[in-house]
Amino acid sequence: MKFSNLFRKKSVHDILNQVAKNEADGHQSLGKHLSARDLTSFGIAAIIGAGIFSTIGKASADGGPAVIFLFLFTAVACSFAAFAYAEFASMVPVSGSAYTYSYVAFGEIVAWIIGWALIMEYAIGNITVAISWSDYFTGLLESGGIHLPQWIQMDYLTASNGFKEATTLMQSGKTFENLSESLQASYIAWTSAPSVGGIHLVADLPALLIIVGITFLVYRGMKESRNASNLMVVVKLCIILLVIAVGIFYVDTDNWSPFAPNGVTGVLKGVSAVFFAYIGFDAISTTAEECKDPQRDLPKGMMWAIIICTILYIVIALVLTGMVSYESLNVGDPLAFVFEKLNLKWMSGIIAVSAVVAMASVLLVFQMGQPRIWMSMSRDGLLPKRYAKVHPKYKTPSYATIVTGFVVAIPALFLNLTMVTDLCSIGTLFAFVLVCAGVLVLQNKPDVPRGKFKTPYINAKFIFPSMLLLGFVCALQFFNQEVANFVTNAPKLNDAHTLVTSLNSNQAKEVTNHLYDLKLIKNKEVDLEATLSNFEQDAKAYHSLVDSLPIAQELKYESGFSLFKHKIPMWIFLITLVALAAWAYQKNLSLIPLLGLVSCLYMMAELSVWNWIYFSIWLLIGLTIYFGFSYKNSKLNNSVV
């Protein structure tokens, strides 16, 4: 095996010639049904989903009304990446998306890695959406008087972890009634589920049913999928405009003060959740071979989808934070919540129905994307030939679509929502980083044919290093203590929830007795977490109290490597920034894709180190498959000497 063979590349000419040959033969070619309007609709279908109906609540609670700046930041970051996607889509209008773009820019091993990582965006992303859809659907049934058992509407991991956490909290004095609704539901699901051989049979059956239905629709054809998507987009846009039109009359501008209650830190706290709300615009690029004029329409579809959705997100955020205090928005269904609070329950019902439709449209777009990635990889010999099979009647990648259905449906029964959300985000961001880097690599190569769209060129030679220097000065000026704590790895005080849930029953009794001796509580039958949480409002008082508790220091503070490991992603980001500044200076890089790369890498750094570890394990599994099958079966294997 030659090391250079790992980076063998496909030329744009060869890719376009192969697509033309497929279309001329009518063999393995897809039906062309999509216009710029359809692509914009697909983009809106993918973006307007869980973000506007769910994650916007938590982000608003953390950042206050200033969360609109987070939506703007994320939209700009995605727009930078969209420029890179649009340029590649115009240059290489085939179904492979970031996988094919990386094959052209970096070579086969990187293309395989990104193709394998994209499973995290499309397949694992759809697991997330299916679980969210199930939550909204079962909630809608509940409001209609139909009550499903908890153990058939919740995934296994959520029930298991929730049961353990609820048990720990109840041992520390919290009553069942004072547990959060999600923990109560998890406890009931776990204790009421039938068991076989000690294994609790907890599975999210509504998530399974919606995936089966969407997979069938995608299998039947692009025209049917397009029509269903367009209809769902019209429905949810009408509902969102109705929410804005009604809600604007209940806005109290006093709720917008303070505008940024938790500062920049609070605004950026929701970066992962808000970014997840935007992913999907890139799924448009997987439909390139089904576009009537991909080189013209793909860039338009991406840009218009991001612009329209950003405007809607910002307006909705302002209306929500104006209708009620931002502090009360940390709920799973913020739109329905605010109207219930204002006794407009008829609106809550309409929102619940529209959320079910919105989630289904996101599922549809993602479920279309994954089979087309696998089809492109199969055409190149990196996956078995059957994945490239196109149905003779429906003109869809039939086998790959069915496999995608299984890959999404089975894990959706058992996996935890938070886990798959973060895995989806890191896989998507990794794809964005490589696509932006691909544009930078190809920018000065004269032998690469260009499409109708090209990212506007701004020389980053001096601008980017200057921006980096300015950012460093601002960090020292305005966040001096935070920077010092980061660099010196200063111990971090655990919050009340983390501290209490780490205690065993004996330690919890010792802490309770200590609080009683200090006369901070009147009796020993108290909710320990709630008691300590009350002191968190005064940082100094909480710090002093925790220091006095009769428990081990490692339970009070996170320090040493256990703290440093969470900073590793950010150190990787900072070191990469310096390397990029040097690269930009030497090669006169284009500023827009460079900023896209930096923005997406920053959002990766904001994810926990565990996501990086799980992602690395996922890539190692992919590389094992590559060296075991794909390397020797690649169609470039015989052409590279």
Side-chain angles (χ1 to χ4, degrees):
M1 179 190 296
K2 291 183 179 180
F3 179 77
S4 60
N5 283 5
L6 297 177
F7 297 92
R8 52 198 176 194
K9 299 178 181 179
K10 292 184 69 176
S11 72
V12 176
H13 292 289
D14 290 341
I15 294 172
L16 297 179
N17 288 339
Q18 184 59 50
V19 172
K21 183 177 181 296
N22 288 344
E23 292 176 355
D25 295 344
H27 177 63
Q28 305 291 16
S29 64
L30 304 174
K32 292 185 176 292
H33 304 290
L34 304 178
S35 64
R37 185 178 63 181
D38 297 322
L39 293 169
T40 303
S41 179
F42 275 138
I44 296 172
I47 298 172
I48 301 291
I52 209 161
F53 289 99
S54 179
T55 54
I56 194 173
K58 174 69 165 61
S60 298
D62 290 332
V67 74
I68 63 170
F69 296 118
L70 179 56
F71 282 111
L72 279 173
F73 167 73
T74 310
V76 170
C78 287
S79 296
F80 289 150
F83 270 109
Y85 265 93
E87 181 167 337
F88 264 123
S90 181
M91 185 192 309
V92 195
V94 296
S95 294
S97 184
Y99 157 75
T100 302
Y101 308 157
S102 298
Y103 218 145
V104 171
F106 302 109
E108 186 171 280
I109 185 67
V110 178
W112 168 266
I113 288 172
I114 199 63
W116 186 249
L118 282 172
I119 297 175
M120 285 192 159
E121 176 177 1
Y122 296 117
I124 294 183
N126 245 5
I127 295 170
T128 305
V129 181
I131 294 171
S132 296
W133 183 91
S134 174
D135 291 342
Y136 271 96
F137 180 70
T138 52
L140 185 62
L141 293 180
E142 292 276 345
S143 64
I146 301 174
H147 305 285
L148 299 178
Q150 286 288 351
W151 56 273
I152 69 167
Q153 56 175 296
M154 182 177 293
D155 63 273
Y156 183 91
L157 282 180
T158 295
S160 174
N161 295 338
F163 171 78
K164 292 174 184 175
E165 186 174 342
T167 302
T168 301
L169 289 173
M170 286 191 288
Q171 287 176 347
S172 68
K174 189 181 285 288
T175 62
F176 180 79
E177 292 73 20
N178 286 332
L179 293 173
S180 66
E181 289 186 13
S182 60
L183 285 181
Q184 289 183 27
S186 298
Y187 187 90
I188 292 171
W190 189 256
T191 54
S192 64
S195 60
V196 177
I199 299 175
H200 292 250
L201 301 180
V202 182
D204 197 337
L205 294 185
L208 172 67
L209 295 177
I210 186 61
I211 292 168
V212 170
I214 292 294
T215 301
F216 175 76
L217 180 60
V218 173
Y219 181 87
R220 283 298 305 271
M222 177 56 75
K223 189 180 292 185
E224 291 77 7
S225 300
R226 177 199 66 189
N227 294 341
S229 174
N230 288 345
L231 177 61
M232 287 188 281
V233 166
V234 169
V235 170
K236 65 183 177 182
L237 285 182
C238 288
I239 299 300
I240 289 169
L241 293 175
L242 177 63
V243 167
I244 293 171
V246 174
I248 202 167
F249 291 102
Y250 293 88
V251 168
D252 181 356
T253 54
D254 289 342
N255 288 326
W256 289 340
S257 180
F259 197 72
N262 299 314
V264 176
T265 304
V267 172
L268 291 177
K269 192 174 181 181
V271 67
S272 176
V274 169
F275 171 75
F276 183 76
Y278 272 96
I279 68 172
F281 75 84
D282 59 310
I284 299 172
S285 64
T286 66
T287 65
E289 289 181 43
E290 290 145 293
C291 299
K292 296 173 182 176
D293 187 351
Q295 293 184 316
R296 182 196 67 188
D297 294 341
L298 277 169
K300 285 184 178 180
M302 289 183 194
M303 296 304 176
W304 276 115
I306 291 175
I307 292 169
I308 292 170
C309 293
T310 300
I311 293 171
L312 291 175
Y313 275 139
I314 289 173
V315 174
I316 283 287
L318 286 174
V319 169
L320 284 180
T321 54
M323 292 174 71
V324 299
S325 170
Y326 71 92
E327 296 173 311
S328 63
L329 286 173
N330 190 11
V331 293
D333 52 349
L335 268 66
F337 168 78
V338 295
F339 285 103
E340 273 187 24
K341 196 166 185 178
L342 295 172
N343 293 319
L344 296 173
K345 293 187 177 181
W346 61 275
M347 278 293 294
S348 297
I350 293 174
I351 290 166
V353 173
S354 66
V356 170
V357 173
M359 300 289 186
S361 69
V362 178
L363 277 167
L364 176 62
V365 177
F366 276 35
Q367 206 72 352
M368 287 191 308
Q370 184 63 71
R372 286 155 178 79
I373 299 291
W374 280 341
M375 180 187 71
S376 294
M377 296 175 76
S378 178
R379 285 174 174 175
D380 296 330
L382 304 187
L383 288 177
K385 291 181 180 179
R386 66 188 69 178
Y387 283 87
K389 182 181 178 182
V390 174
H391 196 284
K393 179 180 178 181
Y394 302 134
K395 296 295 182 182
T396 58
S398 51
Y399 181 82
T401 299
I402 293 171
V403 173
T404 300
F406 279 102
V407 168
V408 176
I410 303 303
L413 294 171
F414 310 108
L415 287 186
N416 178 277
L417 180 62
T418 303
M419 178 186 293
V420 290
T421 300
D422 289 341
L423 284 175
C424 175
S425 293
I426 196 168
T428 306
L429 286 165
F430 184 65
F432 286 8
V433 165
L434 282 186
V435 170
C436 291
V439 170
L440 296 173
V441 168
L442 296 180
Q443 71 173 26
N444 294 322
K445 293 190 176 181
D447 56 334
V448 177
R450 305 292 172 180
K452 297 179 182 178
F453 179 86
K454 194 172 188 305
T455 305
Y457 177 77
I458 302 172
N459 193 337
K461 183 182 182 75
F462 297 110
I463 297 176
F464 185 72
S466 299
M467 292 172 65
L468 195 59
L469 183 61
L470 179 62
F472 178 71
V473 171
C474 289
L476 290 178
Q477 179 70 29
F478 301 107
F479 305 100
N480 187 45
Q481 188 59 51
E482 290 85 347
V483 171
N485 290 342
F486 179 84
V487 173
T488 61
N489 201 40
K492 179 184 175 184
L493 188 67
N494 285 325
D495 59 39
H497 180 79
T498 302
L499 192 153
V500 171
T501 53
S502 65
L503 302 177
N504 59 37
S505 56
N506 290 331
Q507 290 167 333
K509 287 179 182 178
E510 289 180 12
V511 170
T512 302
N513 291 335
H514 181 74
L515 296 178
Y516 182 78
D517 292 340
L518 293 176
K519 298 182 180 180
L520 296 176
I521 54 176
K522 294 181 179 179
N523 60 73
K524 297 181 181 180
E525 301 298 323
V526 296
D527 181 342
L528 187 56
E529 184 201 24
T531 302
L532 290 177
S533 295
N534 290 334
F535 285 93
E536 281 188 298
Q537 298 174 10
D538 185 335
K540 289 184 178 179
Y542 177 71
H543 196 290
S544 176
L545 176 62
V546 172
D547 277 339
S548 72
L549 295 179
I551 54 177
Q553 195 75 0
E554 56 266 24
L555 294 174
K556 303 175 185 178
Y557 290 89
E558 190 174 19
S559 60
F561 183 74
S562 63
L563 176 62
F564 176 77
K565 67 186 179 185
H566 298 297
K567 300 177 181 179
I568 292 175
M570 187 57 68
W571 276 113
I572 293 173
F573 170 71
L574 294 173
I575 293 169
T576 305
L577 277 184
V578 177
L580 289 174
W583 190 27
Y585 184 82
Q586 291 175 352
K587 299 294 184 179
N588 296 319
L589 297 182
S590 177
L591 183 64
I592 290 177
L594 182 60
L595 291 177
L597 191 161
V598 169
S599 301
C600 294
L601 190 60
Y602 168 75
M603 287 189 279
M604 283 183 72
E606 285 291 328
L607 296 172
S608 78
V609 69
W610 295 112
N611 292 311
W612 285 66
I613 292 172
Y614 297 146
F615 181 60
S616 299
I617 293 171
W618 178 256
L619 292 185
L620 287 175
I621 294 171
L623 288 174
T624 303
I625 296 173
Y626 174 77
F627 288 111
F629 174 86
S630 304
Y631 177 82
K632 60 185 177 182
N633 288 284
S634 169
K635 290 187 176 179
L636 293 185
N637 195 36
N638 296 324
S639 62
V640 178
V641 180

